[in-house]
Amino acid sequence: MEKAEGRNQTPVTEFILLGFGNQPGLQILLFLLFLVIYVMTMAGNLLIVVLVVTDQHLHTPMYFFLGNLSCLETCYTSTILPRLLASLLSGDRTISVEGCITQLSVFVFLVTTECYLLAVMSYDRYLAICKPLHYGAFMNGRLCFQLAAGSWINGFLACTILVCLMSELIFCGPNEMDHFCDLTPMLKLSCSDTSQITPVSYTFSFLNLVLPFLSTLTSYVCVISTIPRIPSTSGRQKAFSTCSSHLIVVTIFYGTIMIVYMLLKSSTLRALNKVFSVCYTVLTPLANPLIYSLRNRG
């Protein structure tokens, strides 16, 4: 309890999410903007899920994983946006400690699952382009199910362990955070000893974020080096078409996360940090169906 020294020892029961200012006109404008984004995100991703399930031509590994990703994105955006919309509409920026831990846990579950799904999708493209003769044998229905299920299970395990660790923390100091509950701000606000949870969080970040990213990067290094060696122009164009949309999604997702958690640590860049946080929590789920809808069928 060393962190508690010099702080008010009265336990905090709720946090205040600062959001994007308190001007009434701005709040209404932001509410309408985020409402449109939420509706479009849900409609786009649910449409992809319905098409993948109902269209027999889309019963392929690539679209199976895309359906999983779109299903995840509907849950992902519903973890952040409804609470943000309610706050903008009512002006109530408070959230209970239990509610904040729940939001964080679901968020970690979905982000971890997405990292693994993106890695799985890149591996699928690697096999399709670099090992085309063996693709049908390797990427069968059983393996597709196992890879997708493994992604969701890894996310659930990360969520479960995080809930167990966070439920032991006590909060008794400042209780203000930005627009959603995140791990690092919550650890800073805790007056408990976080010496055990901090190394665990770094380990989990490496296992569930860095390793899937490196796997994704390796797959695309192989893909990009293979495409120029494809003899026909049409073959090169088709190969590029089947992986370009996924590569754009990966770039947006990991790019914004790296900017938020690695580059924008200075308090002077706090406003810019919020902007990029919105990009990967709100705009990425919206961009995914738009990006995939513009690609040619692979």
Side-chain angles (χ1 to χ4, degrees):
M1 298 292 292
E2 294 178 0
K3 291 178 65 175
E5 293 181 4
R7 287 195 185 184
N8 178 11
Q9 296 300 299
T10 304
V12 168
T13 59
E14 60 186 20
F15 295 114
I16 299 174
L17 303 179
L18 297 178
F20 302 91
N22 55 7
Q23 296 88 350
L26 179 62
Q27 302 302 298
I28 295 174
L29 180 62
L30 289 173
F31 173 79
L32 295 175
L33 174 63
F34 286 124
L35 179 61
V36 170
I37 291 175
Y38 183 53
V39 172
M40 291 179 62
T41 301
M42 295 296 289
N45 284 290
L46 287 175
L47 179 60
I48 289 178
V49 173
V50 171
L51 288 175
V52 169
V53 171
T54 58
D55 191 340
Q56 294 291 329
H57 296 94
L58 301 183
H59 289 181
T60 63
M62 181 176 67
Y63 285 100
F64 171 73
F65 295 131
L66 177 57
N68 273 267
L69 182 64
S70 294
C71 180
L72 181 144
E73 297 291 17
T74 61
C75 301
Y76 186 62
T77 193
S78 296
T79 303
I80 304 296
L81 275 181
R83 180 64 186 79
L84 178 59
L85 289 171
S87 175
L88 291 171
L89 188 62
S90 66
D92 181 12
R93 302 181 182 185
T94 61
I95 182 172
S96 67
V97 171
E98 294 78 9
C100 203
I101 292 176
T102 299
Q103 185 186 72
L104 171 64
S105 301
V106 175
F107 178 73
V108 168
F109 165 50
L110 296 173
V111 169
T112 300
T113 303
E114 180 158 4
C115 289
Y116 281 104
L117 272 178
L118 291 176
V120 166
M121 294 174 75
S122 66
Y123 177 66
D124 172 69
R125 292 300 85 204
Y126 161 76
L127 288 179
I129 295 172
C130 301
K131 308 286 184 182
L133 298 180
H134 304 286
Y135 178 74
F138 285 157
M139 195 58 69
N140 52 49
R142 181 179 179 182
L143 180 60
C144 289
F145 176 80
Q146 290 174 340
L147 290 173
S151 299
W152 289 95
I153 291 172
N154 280 327
F156 179 75
L157 291 176
C159 166
T160 302
I161 294 175
L162 181 65
V163 168
C164 295
L165 294 173
M166 294 297 292
S167 62
E168 299 296 324
L169 297 182
I170 298 174
F171 301 91
C172 54
N175 64 337
E176 293 182 344
M177 284 189 291
D178 285 329
H179 68 285
F180 75 99
C181 299
D182 204 356
L183 179 60
T184 301
M186 289 188 71
L187 291 180
K188 289 181 179 179
L189 294 179
S190 172
C191 53
S192 301
D193 180 10
T194 58
S195 60
Q196 293 183 344
I197 191 173
T198 300
V200 171
S201 68
Y202 282 125
T203 302
F204 266 68
S205 296
F206 178 77
L207 293 176
N208 299 319
L209 185 65
V210 177
L211 286 185
F213 171 71
L214 292 177
S215 174
T216 301
L217 186 62
T218 301
S219 294
Y220 272 106
V221 167
C222 295
V223 167
I224 292 172
S225 64
T226 299
I227 289 178
R229 297 201 297 268
I230 298 176
S232 65
T233 302
S234 61
R236 289 194 297 270
Q237 290 177 342
K238 183 177 181 181
F240 179 78
S241 172
T242 60
C243 66
S244 58
S245 54
H246 181 249
L247 186 57
I248 293 172
V249 170
V250 168
T251 302
I252 294 174
F253 179 73
Y254 281 109
T256 51
I257 284 183
M258 289 179 180
I259 290 173
V260 169
Y261 292 106
M262 297 177 64
L263 302 182
L264 299 180
K265 291 297 185 181
S266 172
S267 59
T268 59
L269 298 176
R270 186 173 183 178
L272 194 58
N273 191 302
K274 282 188 180 183
V275 172
F276 280 98
S277 294
V278 169
C279 285
Y280 88 87
T281 58
V282 175
L283 296 185
T284 300
L286 171 65
N288 287 358
L290 296 178
I291 292 171
Y292 280 109
S293 68
L294 294 176
R295 65 171 301 281
N296 294 324
R297 213 180 263 186

